[in-house]
Amino acid sequence: MSVRVSQNSPELTFEIDFTNDPTNSTRSWTDVSSDVRQLSYTRAGRNNELQRTEPGTLSGILNNRHGNYDPSNTAGSYYPGVKRMRWCRVSAVWAGTTYRRWTGLIETWRQEWPGGGKDATVTISGVDALKVLNLYDLDNKSYASQLTSARAGTVLTDAGITGQSIATGKTTVVASGTFALGSSALSHLQDVEETENGLIFADGGGTV
């Protein structure tokens, strides 16, 4: 079910994958638009060329009077899928065309009972597809000297990110050596980003 804010705005859809783990490339989307009370998001970016790219974020409030977003409710429609690191996406439909506006992972589900307990909601917060890179540890990995674009593609593939769109690099980075435990893929790609003076980000459909 999509939601139209006004006659001159697109229909918005909010979907969640309650089934697959974050590193699984398979998606099984459930439309929960009818439960959305409030939703906002930002896209990945940076304020100037001296800063590193920061992931985009999402926050929202969902109706939970039915208890479907309570992770302890075994009778809930989405049990046992209400957990951290579930994929979600925001889409907009305009003139019959669907546009992916934001795709990422839900980090928190906060249960709340406003109105003196007469209401039930869940407040969610999320971060875009760059979160997967931040979770992926390059421990014991090593890479040969290669173009920045080749390095980015190899790291993304190792992290399980199949949605890639990479411009051909102009700079060759040195061999990495063997990474130690706790070396995140995102941190390394931010170093590559600085070397190339490029920009790494996740688009609305989750492609990096």
Side-chain angles (χ1 to χ4, degrees), residues 22-89:
T23 54
N24 191 333
S25 60
T26 301
R27 300 283 180 267
S28 179
W29 297 110
T30 298
D31 188 345
V32 298
S33 305
S34 60
D35 285 331
V36 174
R37 295 189 181 180
Q38 180 178 314
L39 194 66
S40 62
Y41 57 88
T42 65
R43 300 286 286 273
R46 58 188 179 190
N47 292 328
N48 59 65
E49 64 275 12
L50 300 179
Q51 291 184 324
R52 285 188 164 192
T53 301
E54 296 297 329
T57 60
L58 174 140
S59 62
I61 299 175
L62 306 180
N63 168 45
N64 196 31
R65 290 185 174 184
H66 40 52
N68 288 334
Y69 305 113
D70 182 346
S72 64
N73 180 16
T74 58
S77 298
Y78 311 128
Y79 181 87
V82 181
K83 56 182 70 175
R84 296 183 66 246
M85 298 298 110
R86 288 306 194 198
W87 284 100
C88 66
R89 68 182 182 187

Side-chain angles (χ1 to χ4, degrees), residues 151-199:
R151 177 68 60 83
T154 302
V155 172
L156 289 172
T157 299
D158 284 347
I161 295 179
T162 56
Q164 306 176 20
S165 179
I166 306 172
T168 302
K170 300 181 182 298
T171 306
T172 299
V173 290
V174 300
S176 66
T178 302
F179 285 95
L181 181 67
S183 302
S184 84
L186 178 58
S187 179
H188 179 57
L189 287 183
Q190 286 173 327
D191 291 338
V192 174
E193 174 189 48
E194 291 177 356
T195 299
E196 182 67 60
N197 193 25
L199 181 65

Side-chain angles (χ1 to χ4, degrees), residues 120-139:
T121 62
V122 62
T123 298
I124 59 173
S125 64
V127 66
D128 71 17
L130 294 188
K131 179 69 174 184
V132 176
L133 290 172
N134 196 43
L135 293 173
Y136 186 78
D137 196 333
L138 294 176
D139 179 34

